[in-house]
Amino acid sequence: MGFVQLGLLIWRVTCAFVSALAQVFLPARKKSVEGDVCVITGAGMGIGRLFALEFAKLGATVVLWDVDKAANEETARLVQAAEGKAKAYVCDVSNKNDVYRIAEQVKTEVGDVSILVNNAGVVCGKTLLELPDEGIQRTFAVNTLAHFWTVKAFLPGMLANNHGHIISIASIAGHYGGVGLCDYSASKFGAVGFEECLRYEIRRTGKQGIYTTAAYPWIISTGMFEGFTPKEGWLLPPLEPQHAVNSIMQGILTNREVVFVPGYLNFFTFLKPVLPMDAMWAVVKFFGIDTAMDTFTGRRKEE
Amino acid sequence: MAHFLTRVLKALCESPLRILLLFFVVLFRSCQYVCVRVLRAERRKSVSGETVLITGASRGIGRCLALEFAKHGADTIVLWGRDEEKLSSVKKEVEDIGTSRCHYYRCDVGDREQVYRTIQKVQEDVGTITILVNNAGVVHGGTLLETKDDKIEETLRVNTLSHFWTTKSVLPSMLARGRGHVVGIASTLGLFALPGVSDYVTSKFSLVGFYESLAAELREQGHRDVGVTCVCPGHTTTDMFKDLTTQPFSLTPQQVAEQTIEAVKTNQRRVILPRVMHLTWILKSWLPGSWMRNVLYVTGAMKDMDNFCAKR
């Protein structure tokens, strides 16, 4: 690496830093998603449903994917009741053939997909030795591998039109491991890595019209993490679903690459690489997250 | 009234005091860690007399690990791999060192049932395993859209899920005996991404998360005598990444093996090799995302991955 390159690097880093700082203080302009076709996985419940309503409100056609047909239809009904355009498809994202087949169907029936929200996720919430093997495989299939299949299905179309946005709803557990989260954390770490890779790969194609957003929310009170009770719950209470969705939508519409909800969780990302693990453990203990999963019940539904 | 007042007072005093306490604990822990590391005053444990299982032991880092464990006096070394010819030659090398017995088994860690069967066989033949080294890994170069679906699934199965299966099967006996160590060989690509190997990056990120959770879990359950180590080596001069052109701070597999054993002896939970890569991780977490992209462009890492993909 020569001096010229080093100088260039320092210049670019400074530019990146200044523009990132500017974004903190200057309100960025929101982009329009009117007329876009937006695929949302896991749209049957929780924040997937709220995303569908938000995107429909902004004039996008929402394509709803979920394994649960009834819940998915209900979301479609809600969107249509709010005078939005919605179309529901039953799709198990853990099955790649299903994803590819329905992606084709969407392309012919609705049109070119320009926004993809990878939102579907599952959690087992058991310690490693209690985890059933099928549960681990399912967690990976839904939380990690499904991102590969959906992106592979829709990215070529976005590249051809030079217009698109890929949103990964990961979790704060994608940055920190925790008790009772062996499979969930591992799968979400994977999703974070995948998103980072995807960001570079899209950038490398030179297409300026395709954006990515990674969202790392704290626990959202949608029932997915029912029973997760940190001792110091008042410090980091579970997020209201609507609040979380609003924050993430703000990030999406301003093309931000990374959105932490609440934003100050980003602070711990700064701490993690510099604090030894013992010190980080003290922080975790302080918030009472170490024992929070003991009372976990999760979403009780008949499979 | 008095009761109410105490409650208000408690709420007022407690939180700031506790936050202050947290601050001191964090500071103390950090100082303690730095001092211990600088003075090399860690509590050390010995690996002599242990039964070590190493996956992916036929070549590269796995082979060096086997030899290194033998040099440090491990009692029995169990090698797993897919190539029996290579395994038997590694076995001979281990036995030539003369301190440990060595067995090898043909096992594809990507296959869950096979892992469970082979573990069963190992436990019948050799006894309980006290050190597990999850080292097996594969890489397929190629941008996301070029990578075949079955290759992606294979990478996840071999690089990530295999660690679940092996750990699940040996952990109960470790916990029962109150002694043991689980080592995972991840990669620096588990801390920051590179374009062109998205499946590999995903699998290695997952590993970092897995070992972090596992360490937290064992700690919370009070099993301090069972150690967890996650090693993140940078580019290593093995067959795996031999097509990568720029190789700053390359490591030899021997170095990785030595550092891994050192980490096991001193019970370190996270090891980043070479040490300078830790700085990259810090900068990646501190600076805006576009910073890392610029580094990749300027250092030519973007192009290297292209070459790497093209050669594969």
Side-chain angles (χ1 to χ4, degrees):
Chain A
M1 200 158 73
F3 280 109
V4 179
Q5 279 178 313
L6 191 65
L8 197 65
L9 175 64
I10 292 170
W11 167 246
R12 284 189 179 168
V13 169
T14 318
C15 287
F17 208 74
V18 169
S19 74
L21 265 182
Q23 272 170 27
V24 173
F25 296 110
L26 300 173
R29 179 130 34 106
K30 286 190 187 177
K31 71 173 178 185
S32 157
V33 293
E34 204 170 332
D36 278 306
V37 176
C38 171
V39 170
I40 299 165
T41 66
M45 52 178 101
I47 61 170
R49 176 174 283 175
L50 295 175
F51 271 120
L53 289 167
E54 287 295 321
F55 273 109
K57 210 191 286 170
L58 295 168
T61 310
V62 288
V63 177
L64 314 168
W65 283 15
D66 205 296
V67 261
D68 187 344
K69 186 160 192 277
N72 210 17
E73 301 277 316
E74 172 65 17
T75 307
R77 205 188 54 72
L78 285 172
V79 170
Q80 276 149 7
E83 283 162 15
K85 283 166 281 180
K87 200 151 172 31
Y89 292 87
V90 178
C91 178
D92 180 5
V93 286
S94 64
N95 180 345
K96 63 171 187 279
N97 298 323
D98 229 26
V99 171
Y100 291 147
R101 187 172 52 79
I102 293 171
E104 278 308 312
Q105 211 178 326
V106 169
K107 278 179 212 164
T108 50
E109 289 175 11
V110 188
D112 275 342
V113 172
S114 51
I115 299 176
L116 168 64
V117 185
N118 274 318
N119 163 67
V122 290
V123 61
C124 288
K126 293 195 174 84
T127 58
L128 179 69
L129 294 178
E130 291 167 355
L131 275 172
D133 293 346
E134 289 71 26
I136 298 173
Q137 279 169 330
R138 190 172 155 67
T139 307
F140 270 90
V142 176
N143 293 4
T144 315
L145 282 169
H147 291 214
F148 280 90
W149 315 142
T150 52
V151 170
K152 275 181 97 167
F154 294 122
L155 185 58
M158 294 184 192
L159 287 171
N161 299 337
N162 193 12
H163 175 64
H165 201 140
I166 297 174
I167 296 123
S168 316
I169 312 295
S171 159
I172 198 67
H175 284 268
Y176 310 96
V179 180
L181 293 171
C182 267
D183 61 335
Y184 186 76
S185 244
S187 70
K188 289 297 187 186
F189 264 75
V192 170
F194 171 72
E195 198 279 333
E196 216 174 300
C197 231
L198 181 70
R199 209 187 298 162
Y200 294 150
E201 287 195 4
I202 290 175
R203 181 80 171 204
R204 200 173 51 167
T205 60
K207 306 266 182 185
Q208 303 280 329
I210 300 166
Y211 300 94
T212 58
T213 298
Y216 309 127
W218 174 241
I219 311 288
I220 303 173
S221 57
T222 50
M224 186 167 173
F225 270 93
E226 196 62 58
F228 182 93
T229 41
K231 273 195 309 252
E232 304 292 327
W234 58 274
L235 266 174
L236 267 176
L239 298 167
E240 284 301 317
Q242 190 59 48
H243 168 70
V245 167
N246 288 346
S247 309
I248 298 170
M249 280 306 284
Q250 167 77 19
I252 293 169
L253 296 177
T254 53
N255 291 329
R256 270 175 60 191
E257 287 179 342
V258 172
V259 182
F260 280 90
V261 191
Y264 55 81
L265 284 179
N266 206 343
F267 172 69
F268 295 101
T269 329
F270 298 158
L271 283 186
K272 193 184 169 189
V274 282
L275 282 188
M277 279 174 107
D278 278 335
M280 210 56 203
W281 182 254
V283 178
V284 167
K285 256 192 124 85
F286 172 79
F287 284 108
I289 299 166
D290 51 339
T291 51
M293 283 297 277
D294 293 355
T295 48
F296 177 84
T297 52
R299 195 175 261 146
R300 284 211 192 117
K301 70 162 194 219
E302 292 81 82
E303 291 278 328
Chain B
M1 188 65 186
H3 183 62
F4 174 74
L5 270 180
T6 6
R7 244 175 61 199
V8 171
L9 265 178
K10 220 172 139 190
L12 274 177
C13 299
E14 215 173 33
S15 349
L17 270 180
R18 290 198 50 177
I19 291 172
L20 202 68
L21 189 69
L22 169 72
F23 184 71
F24 278 119
V25 169
V26 167
L27 204 67
F28 172 73
R29 286 286 188 191
S30 307
C31 292
Q32 186 191 23
Y33 178 80
V34 171
C35 292
V36 163
R37 293 286 296 157
V38 168
L39 299 173
R40 300 188 161 277
E42 299 101 338
R43 240 188 314 159
R44 299 177 77 86
K45 66 180 181 193
S46 155
V47 295
S48 67
E50 304 279 346
T51 308
V52 188
L53 166 63
I54 302 169
T55 67
S58 56
R59 53 184 174 170
I61 296 176
R63 181 181 147 268
C64 288
L65 274 168
L67 298 177
E68 206 57 31
F69 269 110
K71 273 182 216 157
H72 283 82
D75 179 54
T76 314
I77 291 170
V78 182
L79 312 172
W80 278 16
R82 283 182 296 186
D83 188 339
E84 293 204 35
E85 217 170 288
K86 282 196 184 129
L87 283 174
S88 74
S89 84
V90 176
K91 175 185 159 145
K92 221 177 131 295
E93 282 180 85
V94 169
E95 279 169 348
D96 282 346
I97 292 170
T99 44
S100 26
R101 282 169 296 156
C102 185
H103 303 260
Y104 69 85
Y105 294 82
R106 206 198 154 278
C107 179
D108 177 4
V109 288
D111 181 349
R112 174 166 55 122
E113 289 309 316
Q114 206 174 327
V115 169
Y116 287 155
R117 264 204 315 274
T118 321
I119 283 268
Q120 188 100 44
K121 210 153 64 182
V122 170
Q123 280 171 342
E124 279 162 20
D125 296 352
V126 184
T128 51
I129 288 149
T130 52
I131 297 181
L132 167 68
V133 185
N134 285 313
N135 162 67
V138 291
V139 62
H140 308 285
T143 59
L144 174 65
L145 295 178
E146 288 162 0
T147 318
K148 298 227 166 49
D149 292 351
D150 52 338
K151 296 284 182 209
I152 295 173
E153 283 171 327
E154 191 203 338
T155 310
L156 255 281
R157 264 205 323 273
V158 174
N159 291 9
T160 311
L161 289 173
S162 72
H163 292 231
F164 281 90
W165 314 143
T166 51
T167 310
K168 261 182 90 171
S169 28
V170 302
L171 200 58
S173 64
M174 285 182 184
L175 295 182
R177 295 174 46 148
R179 183 172 137 207
H181 208 108
V182 182
V183 184
I185 310 290
S187 164
T188 41
L189 290 186
L191 302 172
F192 41 86
L194 266 189
V197 275
S198 51
D199 51 345
Y200 186 78
V201 167
T202 306
S203 68
K204 293 300 184 185
F205 261 77
S206 296
L207 283 188
V208 173
F210 169 64
Y211 284 102
E212 214 176 290
S213 304
L214 184 63
E217 217 163 272
L218 292 180
R219 191 167 182 155
E220 200 251 342
Q221 291 164 355
H223 299 293
R224 285 188 173 240
D225 30 23
V226 177
V228 177
T229 299
C230 181
V231 185
C232 302
H235 179 262
T236 311
T237 52
T238 55
D239 294 344
M240 205 165 172
F241 274 103
K242 66 171 184 286
D243 296 329
L244 202 64
T245 44
T246 319
Q247 297 164 358
F249 316 117
S250 276
L251 296 156
T252 59
Q254 182 60 30
Q255 283 171 315
V256 176
E258 280 167 14
Q259 296 285 339
T260 304
I261 296 206
E262 179 66 18
V264 170
K265 284 183 164 179
T266 53
N267 250 326
Q268 289 177 57
R269 284 188 218 93
R270 183 173 62 210
V271 184
I272 300 170
L273 304 170
R275 302 266 179 229
V276 67
M277 281 297 174
H278 202 118
L279 198 67
T280 318
W281 186 34
I282 293 175
L283 289 176
K284 183 222 138 188
S285 315
W286 283 19
L287 297 173
S290 40
W291 176 83
M292 198 63 192
R293 265 203 306 265
N294 287 318
V295 171
L296 292 179
Y297 274 113
V298 172
T299 55
M302 283 279 196
K303 286 221 186 66
D304 295 335
M305 290 319 282
D306 281 339
N307 293 342
F308 177 73
C309 299
K311 279 184 189 162
R312 292 214 147 220

